[in-house]
Amino acid sequence: MAVAVLSSSISCSTTSIISLNHKHNRSKFSAFTLSLRFPLRPINLLHVCTPPHQEDSLSIDKSSLVVDETTAEDQLWAAACLRVRSFHQFDPDSFGVQDHKKHLAEREFEAMKERIAGKRKEFRTVACINATLPLSQISSVSEELCAECKFTDDGEDRVVVGTLDLNQCYRLPDEITGKKPEGVGGDFARAYLSNVCVAKELHRNGLGYKIVAKSKLVAQGWGISDLYVHVAFDNEPAKKLYMKSGFIFENDEPAWHARFLDRPRRTLLWIGLPGTKDL
């Protein structure tokens, strides 16, 4: 199940070819020209998306599933590509669509590196948490997914099939702010999830639940006491995922605020995490 973030609340296209190797295959092109062809709102950290229901999603061998943090550039690039294909819809017949996809992936990839490296002053700490599977297990399911989201780890070809960001900060830009913890501690004991998504071909395998569960463990290790996530107001599948993970309702975004930002209205969900002494 895909759930949270990069762009508007829409499902993704089934056709795209994004370069595998960001170091060697990313061509130069004009962002200005692309903006004329594809009018865009700026990418936000946590727009919320749930792609359409998939009746025939593949059952996976979870013994080969790895869910963990990463700072490796090849894996970050694969995660950026998954976010683009999960949170954007493309007309495959549009002129320059492949360059447009590459531009979006480049932009998210660079932003991820900056956040993780601590170069964004509004974030204290950021972790990218990915779910990955061996390429051999899913190569027959989707050539597109394997081509776009592949990376190599210790000589093994793997594919990023789920991803999210864990952000330790007081608030996320343009989003309603959590209320807990009250008083001192809001800037270091509070964290937010963003960019939560799972490859549409692998929905209904519990991957969203697993990456959220991993994020809670990482957050506890940071000393986080209060974890938040913003969900589109009418995104019931996402709400079910988070509530299954223990989140509860805290607040709704004012309708005027969403209209001002020209994006779907949010609901803010919260979960309290055990202190490090309880781990």
Side-chain angles (χ1 to χ4, degrees):
M1 178 177 294
V3 248
V5 290
L6 230 162
S7 181
S8 55
S9 181
I10 53 178
S11 61
C12 54
S13 159
T14 57
T15 62
S16 58
I17 307 173
I18 296 177
S19 170
L20 293 177
N21 193 326
H22 61 278
K23 295 179 180 177
H24 303 294
N25 296 332
R26 287 180 284 169
S27 60
K28 295 183 179 179
F29 55 89
S30 169
F32 175 73
T33 302
L34 285 173
S35 67
L36 294 179
R37 297 174 187 163
F38 304 93
L40 288 175
R41 293 169 44 226
I43 290 183
N44 190 294
L45 272 178
L46 43 93
H47 291 163
V48 182
C49 170
T50 301
H53 179 69
Q54 302 288 319
E55 293 292 342
D56 301 321
S57 56
L58 172 75
S59 294
I60 61 173
D61 176 10
K62 293 180 182 176
S63 66
S64 60
L65 177 70
V66 175
V67 181
D68 209 350
E69 296 178 72
T70 187
T71 58
E73 289 199 2
D74 283 353
Q75 195 175 154
L76 292 177
W77 173 253
C81 291
L82 179 61
R83 295 174 187 190
V84 169
R85 77 190 298 270
S86 296
F87 302 129
H88 293 272
Q89 187 176 32
F90 303 99
D91 179 354
D93 298 322
S94 295
F95 177 72
V97 68
Q98 305 305 333
D99 281 346
H100 177 50
K101 292 176 181 178
K102 188 182 297 183
H103 170 62
L104 294 175
E106 288 272 7
R107 192 163 66 172
E108 174 61 6
F109 173 66
E110 295 299 330
M112 290 167 70
K113 290 196 298 180
E114 288 186 1
R115 294 192 298 265
I116 292 171
K119 295 181 179 179
R120 298 286 182 94
K121 63 181 180 180
E122 60 268 39
F123 302 98
R124 290 179 64 92
T125 310
V126 177
C128 174
I129 297 173
N130 292 335
T132 72
L133 284 168
L135 176 68
S136 58
Q137 184 178 151
I138 58 174
S139 58
S140 62
V141 176
S142 172
E143 292 183 4
E144 176 197 356
L145 173 64
C146 294
E148 293 175 4
C149 304
K150 170 186 168 184
F151 69 100
T152 302
D153 181 32
D154 290 334
E156 179 186 35
D157 289 336
R158 299 185 68 88
V159 179
V160 174
V161 295
T163 181
L164 63 74
D165 286 339
L166 174 65
N167 310 277
Q168 182 185 27
C169 55
Y170 180 77
R171 63 186 299 272
L172 288 173
D174 295 330
E175 299 294 340
I176 51 177
T177 304
K179 299 177 180 178
K180 302 179 180 68
E182 298 178 356
V184 178
D187 59 338
F188 60 84
R190 180 184 303 162
Y192 298 83
L193 301 182
S194 64
N195 292 327
V196 185
C197 62
V198 169
K200 62 184 183 294
E201 297 88 347
L202 298 175
H203 289 176
R204 306 181 69 184
N205 277 287
L207 297 177
Y209 180 81
K210 287 185 177 297
I211 57 176
V212 170
K214 178 64 176 180
S215 73
K216 291 193 288 185
L217 293 175
V218 174
Q220 287 175 285
W222 292 354
I224 299 298
S225 61
D226 298 272
L227 183 61
Y228 285 93
V229 64
H230 299 82
V231 186
F233 190 77
D234 59 353
N235 192 339
E236 295 303 322
K239 290 179 182 178
K240 288 180 181 178
L241 166 66
Y242 293 120
M243 289 179 178
K244 178 182 176 182
S245 300
F247 286 81
I248 62 174
F249 171 85
E250 180 172 290
N251 199 9
D252 282 329
E253 178 182 34
W256 66 264
H257 189 256
R259 287 196 299 269
F260 177 77
L261 294 171
D262 188 28
R263 55 133 172 90
R265 188 181 179 192
R266 311 278 201 244
T267 292
L268 182 63
L269 304 179
W270 164 88
I271 185 172
L273 300 179
T276 53
K277 65 180 182 300
D278 298 322
L279 293 179

